[in-house]
Amino acid sequence: MDIINDVKKERVIIVGTDIGAYPHSLDSSLAELEELVKADGAEVVGVVTQNIDKYSPKLLIGSGKVDEIKDMIPKLEANAVVFNDELSGVQLRNLDDIFNDNKKFDREIKVLDRTNLILDIFALRASTYEGKLQVQLAQLNYQLPRLLGIDGWSRTGGGIGTRGPGEQIIETDRRRLLREIDTIRRKLKRVQKNRELTRSRRIDNKIPIVSLVGYTNAGKSTLLNRLKVSDAKEVYVKNMLFATLDPNSRRAKLPSGREYIISDTVGFVSKLPTKLVEAFKSTLEEIKYSDLILHVIDASSEDMDIQYSTTMKILKDLDIDTEKVINVFNKSDKIDVMETLISPKIGGEKIFLSAKFDEDLSELLDVIEKKLPEKLSRVELLIDYNDSNVLSEILDNHKYESLEYLNDGVKLVVFLTSEEFNKFKRYVV
């Protein structure tokens, strides 16, 4: 939307249809679209809805509604129209032509759809090298089938007698986009190799991994900040959609003293662009390697069931084992837990908590401890100086709690699996 650092917020008219809102109600879906507009730094000044049986191939909605929006633009001093439904290249071009043919407007009226808006938010928020590459890849894949509808391409070579050159220009742009997509994919593969190396180290170190997943703004980052080790860096938290994009991992400790890694992931949203899921797939697949998955659900949301289904569908699409999922109903301080009806679709273990309260977190930590697949034992070892290779193996693969050099050997306290315990049993004090 190009609204970053603008002093004056862009003024947006949002447009939605009943068939495009499904499975949400139209009101609920447009309320979420308004939150997306706010997350992109703009403000909603008008709302237009229409009940339709099918989309218009030329305009998406009826021509009468399009004229109504065109009349609203100068009255509301709007400079952008955002559709809740995805626009084709033809629809995008036609709507752009209609909204920008009025000489009274002293500005260009931007036409976007929900997908374009979400991509723009991701471009605004991505901070890591990999995150930026993933967003660029999704944006290019979005643009590719819409070359005819993008401003600049649609007008270049247009008009009577220029059809041939126009097609050549579009073909040139298409090849350029495909080259850029290829380049970004190669860069992403290199970044992915580094992440695979980091992951294999974690697996070798046998540090359990707990992943947080869920709908955007459910409170995952708040929960991560509350569970992490106290001296670890805070994760950015704000009450808006997609406040966190890039994956965050922090060390944390269970009541027993056992260490684990807790990882935050990008929040999901209904109608999350397919190309965006594809672009972020390699990052999201990190969830596969988790020992436990905490599905954080906003217990105060009226669309709790839909948000649950949206997240679970994405997890299943990524072939993630949903047996490892525990449902964590956050923001429970805002509801009466006894009177809240939970859909029978939401199966498995359920925990109600508010990330604000320590006692609630203690209950969650107890559950995590019980559910992690293999418990480590706190073991005191005394290793003879002649067995330096054994000492090196342990120190390379474990973080010790204490280490002491004595006359008869090295005394240390580490956490071992049952298999490791048997392996080093002769050194146990």
Side-chain angles (χ1 to χ4, degrees):
M1 246 195 204
D2 303 327
I3 45 75
I4 310 170
N5 297 328
D6 278 3
V7 176
K8 192 175 180 181
K9 286 185 178 180
E10 284 195 278
R11 297 168 64 81
V12 176
I13 296 171
I14 58 174
V15 185
T17 66
D18 55 339
I19 58 173
Y22 183 82
H24 290 264
S25 67
L26 184 51
D27 286 346
S28 174
S29 188
L30 285 177
E32 186 171 270
L33 183 64
E34 182 169 358
E35 288 302 313
L36 288 169
V37 169
K38 287 178 185 174
D40 207 18
E43 63 177 328
V44 172
V45 294
V47 180
V48 175
T49 62
Q50 187 172 37
N51 294 329
I52 53 176
D53 296 324
K54 61 180 181 178
Y55 294 122
S56 159
K58 291 183 178 179
L59 299 170
L60 186 95
I61 55 175
S63 57
K65 279 290 178 183
V66 173
D67 289 339
E68 183 184 320
I69 296 166
K70 186 177 177 181
D71 290 339
M72 290 171 67
I73 290 170
K75 293 173 185 173
L76 298 174
E77 297 181 351
N79 44 23
V81 181
V82 178
F83 286 77
N84 197 32
D85 312 55
E86 192 162 300
L87 297 169
S88 68
V90 171
Q91 291 163 345
L92 191 62
R93 179 188 61 195
N94 290 339
L95 291 164
D96 182 78
D97 286 344
I98 291 168
F99 295 148
N100 284 294
D101 75 343
N102 193 329
K103 303 300 180 188
K104 290 189 298 183
F105 299 163
D106 57 353
R107 61 198 176 279
E108 180 192 358
I109 306 303
K110 298 174 191 174
V111 181
L112 302 91
D113 60 18
R114 182 188 178 95
T115 299
N116 202 347
L117 180 67
I118 292 173
L119 289 173
D120 198 61
I121 296 168
F122 272 56
L124 182 67
R125 301 278 167 73
S127 58
T128 65
Y129 176 64
E130 184 179 13
K132 288 174 181 176
L133 286 176
Q134 287 168 326
V135 174
Q136 286 173 26
L137 181 60
Q139 287 176 320
L140 292 172
N141 278 318
Y142 172 82
Q143 289 173 9
L144 195 57
R146 293 173 174 79
L147 285 180
L148 283 170
I150 296 174
D151 188 38
W153 287 318
S154 62
R155 301 172 194 272
T156 305
I160 297 171
T162 57
R163 182 172 178 180
E167 286 179 340
Q168 289 168 13
I169 289 166
I170 290 166
E171 180 57 28
T172 301
D173 285 327
R174 191 180 74 85
R175 286 199 299 270
R176 179 179 62 78
L177 283 183
L178 288 171
R179 281 197 303 272
E180 286 183 35
I181 287 169
D182 257 2
T183 301
I184 290 172
R185 281 184 174 148
R186 283 197 300 272
K187 288 178 180 177
L188 278 170
K189 278 185 181 175
R190 289 197 290 270
V191 176
Q192 284 158 20
K193 282 181 183 176
N194 292 335
R195 190 170 356 91
E196 283 166 9
L197 184 62
T198 304
R199 184 202 307 142
S200 65
R201 281 176 185 156
R202 284 179 183 168
I203 292 169
D204 290 343
N205 286 342
K206 294 185 172 61
I207 300 176
I209 300 170
V210 178
S211 284
L212 299 169
V213 301
Y215 215 74
T216 181
N217 207 29
K220 298 183 298 300
S221 296
T222 301
L223 198 55
L224 183 144
N225 282 335
R226 297 281 279 123
L227 293 174
K228 69 175 179 57
V229 175
S230 58
D231 59 351
K233 185 182 176 183
E234 290 273 320
V235 173
Y236 177 71
V237 174
K238 192 168 182 181
N239 185 27
M240 65 163 57
L241 303 189
F242 298 121
T244 306
L245 278 194
D246 300 304
N248 292 290
S249 296
R250 298 289 186 271
R251 283 184 177 267
K253 275 189 179 181
L254 293 167
S256 66
R258 180 184 183 185
E259 279 198 340
Y260 67 102
I261 300 289
I262 185 158
S263 293
D264 194 5
T265 56
V266 60
F268 303 135
V269 70
S270 64
K271 299 200 290 185
L272 192 65
T274 306
K275 296 297 181 187
L276 200 53
V277 175
E278 286 174 9
F280 276 78
K281 192 170 184 180
S282 58
T283 306
L284 292 170
E285 280 181 337
E286 287 288 295
I287 304 167
K288 274 188 183 180
Y289 302 95
S290 305
D291 298 284
L292 200 61
I293 299 168
L294 303 182
H295 179 183
V296 184
I297 302 166
D298 181 353
S300 65
S301 171
E302 293 179 3
D303 290 323
M304 189 197 311
D305 293 355
I306 296 169
Q307 294 181 5
Y308 170 82
S309 302
T310 298
T311 301
M312 294 305 288
K313 181 182 183 305
I314 293 171
L315 293 181
K316 284 172 184 172
D317 288 347
L318 293 166
D319 294 323
I320 289 167
D321 180 10
T322 54
E323 292 295 315
K324 297 190 286 188
V325 175
I326 295 175
N327 297 307
V328 179
F329 293 85
N330 190 28
K331 306 184 185 181
S332 294
D333 54 315
K334 296 182 178 181
I335 61 166
D336 185 331
V337 175
M338 300 304 292
E339 291 184 8
T340 301
L341 295 174
I342 304 296
S343 168
K345 291 180 185 175
I346 305 179
E349 184 154 1
K350 303 174 185 67
I351 299 172
F352 288 84
L353 57 78
S354 169
K356 297 177 183 177
F357 303 124
D358 289 342
E359 59 268 27
D360 288 359
L361 294 179
S362 296
E363 182 187 346
L364 176 61
L365 287 168
D366 287 340
V367 171
I368 292 172
E369 183 119 55
K370 288 173 190 171
K371 291 288 182 178
L372 282 175
E374 188 177 45
K375 292 188 177 181
L376 299 181
S377 302
R378 184 178 181 277
V379 182
E380 192 173 340
L381 305 174
L382 181 61
I383 301 172
D384 192 279
Y385 288 113
N386 292 325
D387 293 332
S388 57
N389 59 326
V390 174
L391 179 62
S392 295
E393 182 184 347
I394 293 172
L395 293 180
D396 285 345
N397 295 298
H398 298 82
K399 187 175 179 181
Y400 56 84
E401 188 176 280
S402 64
L403 182 71
E404 196 177 353
Y405 291 90
L406 306 175
N407 292 331
D408 51 350
V410 179
K411 187 177 180 182
L412 71 160
V413 174
V414 291
F415 290 89
L416 302 178
T417 64
S418 55
E419 183 183 342
E420 291 168 331
F421 182 87
N422 290 328
K423 183 178 179 180
F424 302 117
K425 190 192 274 186
R426 58 181 285 221
Y427 300 105
V428 174
V429 176

